[in-house]
Each structure stands twice: as structure tokens, then as C-alpha cells.
Amino acid sequence: MLDKKNFYINGQWTKPNSSEEIKVIDPATEENCAVISLGNQKDVDAAVGAAKKAFETWAFSSKEERISLLEKLYELYKKRWADIAEAITMEMGAPKDFSTKLQAGTGAAHIKSFIRYLKNFEFEKPLGEHAPNQRILYEPKGVCTLITPWNWPMNQVCLKVIPALASGCTMILKPSELAPLSSMILAELIDEVKFPAGVFNLVNGDGATTGNALTAHPDVNMISFTGSTRAGALISQNAAKDFKRVSLELGGKGANIIFKDADPEAIERGALRCFRNSGQSCNAPTRMLVEKSMYNEAVEILKKYAENFEVGDPKKEGEHIGPVISETQYNKIQTLIQKGIDEGAKLVAGGVGKPDGLEKGYFVKPTVFVDVNNNMEVARTEIFGPVLSVMPFENEEEAIKIANDTPYGLTNYIQTQDPEKVKRVARKLRSGMVDVNGAGIAVDAPFGGYKHSGIGREAGELGLEEFLEVKAVGGWN
């Protein structure tokens, strides 16, 4: 049985140097479900040292070798799919069906997608017909620190680990200390595949000690981080000292623009996307902008929808949401809901406190504020809970202005049956992604944002290129 206190360093599970430990809490029961160690500087040095040594040969491995190993990993992942889903349900409270289909499912989808892109990627190509002796080489960036969040654990881990492996980088993964268990299963799979020792390393820990040691380490060449904007700024400061490459996927406060010609399901679909995963998605449409001619109707639909939206035990089957990740997160959400009430937003569903019958666990009521203005804190802060802010708009120009009036720029949403309006509005929205009429963003589409939502892109070809340096060579005959 896997000892969850151990780290995976240099191709083997090893006991940490650190004696400091932390409990992993099941957010549905508020009870301990595992104990992990928190890595210290010596643990980080060991992992980085192993990655640095492995890079000397792994950087020059053939594309065919990397494809073969990733294909084996994909087959093993499918065999452990249910175990991964169960771990995610336990560590972060995602309901069983949602955890199986989407949480674990996105990890598998990314592995499959990156294999396809790796097969077609040219690591050496001519500059052009005009310069026959000029070559462009794509080479791995080196030793990478990968720091991932708790809200979509396998999705975010596979968006980093798989392209890093595919590109020829070596890495140290630090998953969130709140939800590390699914990542440890992935480490078991990588070990079973027999990637060369030191290529992949896993060190558990917190941000202040382990994360800081990893991002400041002089032998780390790249940092890929997903998490809060505040932490992203601190990591950027660490990286700037020796010009590490940085890729950041940070917060969001997406606007969902509902025009009067939206399809009949648009309002409920928007609320579902806000509440899904208990509101713990950086790309959630948490600001709903509704054209005034249908505003009152939309408010009634949302009130009824939220009041009937089920919150319950994540271990049972069905369509519902579970708890939020922790007591700290629960308290933050409660404070922001109360702030919305104090600022004068009209509460039509949900509110402070836990749903009826759920006194244990970090469960939050699906909450809807209406008559919100964009200066209120509930409209400006990433709440990261099932809280929707609704506001009216007069016309297309005002909707765009409200949508863009935010420090974030990750994902915005448009609901209209007018294809020309879609093109006009999508062009003017300052965000890395725009979802139209519930079409969704493809698994291999570039994921990332503008402004405070981050730097760089994940998934697909651009996600692979994030881990590659570009070298120009003249006189290549």
C-alpha cells in the first residue's frame, strides 16, 4: 500500500527529510482521510538534483520513445480511472458522477490529446524556402517546477506533466496539499510505465515552504503554476531573480452576456456553469449580464433554479454539487455573501449558512444576487463558490463595457442567436477564451487569459510549446 507520507524522487518512493506533516481533510465529513509530509529545502534539493541529472539524457530522447511511454501511461490511466475519481471525490468533494466523468475524464483526455500533438509536432523545421540553410529547433526548456491547484486536480496536473514529458523536460510536481491523493496515483502510474529515473518527481508541501523553495531554486529553468493571482505575483517575483520562464494560469471573473434573443436554456445553463464543481472553477461565468427587456423574467428563472439546485453527499450518484474544499474557503465564501448583502445587492436565493440537513461538511447554498453593480465586491472578487451576481444592461456596447471592467480576463460567455453579434462581441471581449451558446472550449484549445488571469497557454499545440525553447541555426546543410 502506498505510504502517502513518502515522495517520489529519482524513480523511487522515498522517505522525506522533513518531519512536518499535514492532514488531508475530506470536505464532506470534515474528517482526516490521509496524512502527507511537507517537503523542506533538502527534499526540494534532492528532487531538483534528480531532475537536473535526468535532463542530460532525457532532453535528447527520441520523439518515438516519448510517444511509446505516454501511450503506456494512457492505458494504465484508464485502468486506474475509477481509483483516481474516488480519490478526487475524497480529497476535494467532487460528486461521484462528476468526478468520474469530468474530473478524472479530463486527465485522460489531455493525455490522449498531447500524444496526438506530439506525433505531429516538428522539433526541427526549415525557416523557409528563402533560407534553405536556416533551421528552427524546438528544445526542452529544462527542469520544470509544476505547481497545481485543488479544484481540478487531474485536469491541471495533466495539462502540465504530460506536455513537459512530451517535450523532453524533467520536472518536480507539487500538487496542492489540500488535494494531493490523485496526483500520487498518477506518480504510481508513471513509476509503473518506467520513465527514466529523475524525469518525473513529486514532492508534497505547502506554498510558503515547499513552493517557495521550488520556485526560487537556481537549478529550476521553468515554473508552470495554476492558482490565485496573489500567489502568481509572488512566484513571478521569485522567477525574475534568475529569469526563469514562467507560465501562469490564474483567476477569473467571467461575464455571461444574455441577449434577448438567447436560446430558452441559456439562463439555467449559465447558472449551472456557475454552480458546477461547487463554483470552484476559475473559468466559471460568475457575473450574469442580462438585457433589460428580459431581466425580470431571468431573475424569476434563476430564483427557482437555485432554490431547487441540489447540494449533497459527494459519494452518492446523481447530478448535484458537493462541499467546497476547506473550512478556510467556506468561511471566505460566507464573508463575501454577507458583504454582498451589506453592499445592497438583492439576495433572491441561497445566502449565508449551510443548506438544510447538511450541518457537517463545508457545504454552501447555491446563491444568487440580483441588481448587482460592477463596483460591488461580489462583482469584482473571485469568490470561488456557488455564488452568481446578476446585473442588467441596455445594449451591446454597455454589456461589453461591463464585461471588460474587471482585472481578470480568462473566460467570457455570449448567448445570442445572431452570428454577426457573436463575432462583434467576441472580438471586443478582453479574455483568453469566449464560450458561445454553451458550445464549450475544446480539450485542445489554448487555455489561458489576459490581464490578471495569467501568462501563457495550456492544452494542445500551444500547451506543448510552453515547455520548449526556440533555437535558430544558420548554416545547417
Side-chain angles (χ1 to χ4, degrees):
M1 182 177 177
L2 177 65
D3 185 341
K4 296 178 178 63
K5 295 180 185 179
N6 287 347
F7 300 150
Y8 187 75
I9 297 176
N10 202 28
Q12 58 186 341
W13 292 99
T14 61
K15 292 189 179 299
N17 287 286
S18 171
S19 60
E20 191 173 355
E21 298 174 351
I22 188 173
K23 293 178 180 178
V24 180
I25 303 299
D26 181 337
T29 64
E30 303 181 36
E31 295 174 359
N32 174 33
C33 63
V35 177
I36 61 168
S37 297
L38 299 183
N40 62 17
Q41 187 67 54
K42 286 185 178 180
D43 297 309
V44 168
D45 287 344
V48 173
K52 183 179 180 180
K53 186 174 187 302
F55 184 72
E56 295 173 6
T57 52
W58 181 246
F60 299 98
S61 59
S62 68
K63 183 167 83 167
E64 291 70 28
E65 179 186 355
R66 299 197 296 271
I67 290 170
S68 176
L69 291 168
L70 287 171
E71 286 178 335
K72 291 176 184 175
L73 179 63
Y74 179 64
E75 292 305 315
L76 289 176
Y77 188 102
K78 289 190 292 183
K79 292 179 181 179
R80 297 289 302 274
W81 191 312
D83 295 337
I84 292 167
E86 184 180 2
I88 293 172
T89 294
M90 182 167 59
E91 68 190 356
M92 59 82 59
K96 182 178 180 180
D97 290 353
F98 185 81
S99 186
T100 301
K101 182 179 179 182
L102 286 170
Q103 288 279 6
T106 53
H110 289 310
I111 298 172
K112 185 177 181 181
S113 174
F114 279 120
I115 290 170
R116 179 165 59 87
Y117 277 97
L118 178 57
K119 287 179 177 178
N120 295 321
F121 194 86
E122 294 181 56
F123 288 87
E124 174 195 325
K125 61 179 68 172
L127 179 62
E129 292 182 2
H130 67 290
N133 70 339
Q134 304 287 316
R135 286 292 184 276
I136 302 297
L137 307 182
Y138 292 87
E139 300 182 340
K141 284 186 174 174
V143 176
C144 301
T145 285
L146 313 178
I147 301 179
T148 56
W150 43 262
N151 59 321
W152 285 86
M154 268 302 94
N155 178 68
Q156 293 304 135
V157 166
C158 289
L159 276 172
K160 300 182 191 301
V161 169
I162 306 307
L165 291 170
S167 68
C169 288
T170 59
M171 69 218 67
I172 306 92
L173 171 66
K174 190 201 84 65
S176 169
E177 68 273 25
L178 300 180
L181 306 181
S182 53
S183 292
M184 297 187 80
I185 294 175
L186 182 68
E188 287 186 291
L189 301 182
I190 289 172
D191 181 64
E192 189 174 348
V193 170
K194 301 300 180 190
F195 279 84
V199 168
F200 171 87
N201 305 273
L202 181 146
V203 177
N204 281 316
D206 59 7
T209 300
T210 318
N212 185 66
L214 281 166
T215 56
H217 201 289
D219 289 332
V220 167
N221 306 111
M222 178 190 176
I223 302 165
S224 181
F225 170 79
T226 299
S228 72
T229 300
R230 179 195 60 79
L234 293 173
I235 285 169
S236 295
Q237 292 172 15
N238 263 356
K241 295 170 187 175
D242 47 12
F243 300 97
K244 291 178 174 65
R245 302 295 189 263
V246 177
S247 177
L248 304 172
E249 197 276 285
L250 308 175
K253 193 69 179 176
N256 187 7
I257 304 174
I258 313 284
F259 289 102
K260 62 185 177 183
D261 64 342
D263 66 87
E265 289 78 37
I267 294 168
E268 290 189 353
R269 182 172 65 242
L272 174 61
R273 284 290 284 108
C274 175
F275 297 155
R276 195 177 74 172
N277 205 38
S278 301
Q280 300 171 123
S281 297
C282 51
N283 61 348
T286 52
R287 293 181 297 150
M288 183 177 285
L289 283 50
V290 183
E291 195 159 357
K292 276 190 176 177
S293 61
M294 62 178 296
Y295 183 76
N296 291 336
E297 176 190 357
V299 169
E300 289 304 310
I301 292 171
L302 289 167
K303 182 178 187 298
K304 182 178 179 181
Y305 184 79
E307 287 176 343
N308 290 286
F309 200 90
E310 187 179 354
V311 183
D313 183 354
K315 294 180 178 63
K316 74 174 185 178
E317 296 178 350
E319 296 293 327
H320 57 284
I321 60 172
V324 295
I325 184 69
S326 67
E327 183 179 12
T328 298
Q329 187 66 18
Y330 174 84
N331 290 336
K332 175 194 170 187
I333 295 166
Q334 298 302 306
T335 298
L336 286 165
I337 291 173
Q338 186 60 53
K339 181 72 172 177
I341 295 169
D342 295 342
E343 286 185 320
K346 184 180 178 182
L347 183 69
V348 297
V352 295
K354 296 181 180 180
D356 291 342
L358 293 170
E359 294 309 312
K360 193 162 190 178
Y362 308 123
F363 295 94
V364 176
K365 298 174 185 175
T367 296
V368 178
F369 284 109
V370 303
D371 301 347
V372 175
N373 68 63
N374 224 29
N375 294 319
M376 293 178 177
E377 191 163 348
V378 290
R380 303 203 70 80
T381 300
E382 186 181 36
I383 298 173
F384 235 55
V387 181
L388 178 63
S389 297
V390 188
M391 56 193 85
F393 68 88
E394 290 278 4
N395 51 44
E396 186 176 315
E397 290 73 23
E398 185 184 18
I400 294 166
K401 183 179 179 181
I402 295 170
N404 286 338
D405 181 18
T406 172
Y408 298 108
L410 189 59
T411 311
N412 285 308
Y413 298 73
I414 304 169
Q415 317 298 328
T416 177
Q417 300 306 298
D418 182 345
E420 293 307 311
K421 186 184 292 184
V422 167
K423 294 172 187 176
R424 287 195 307 271
V425 176
R427 286 280 189 184
K428 293 180 180 179
L429 292 173
R430 297 288 295 165
S431 58
M433 296 169 283
V434 179
D435 186 340
V436 179
N437 296 328
I441 304 296
V443 68
D444 56 344
F447 191 100
Y450 293 8
K451 301 186 285 186
H452 289 200
S453 287
I455 299 169
R457 294 295 181 268
E458 295 186 310
E461 186 172 17
L462 289 176
L464 182 60
E465 289 182 2
E466 283 288 310
F467 291 90
L468 295 169
E469 293 280 20
V470 179
K471 178 185 287 182
V473 181
W476 187 290
N477 295 311

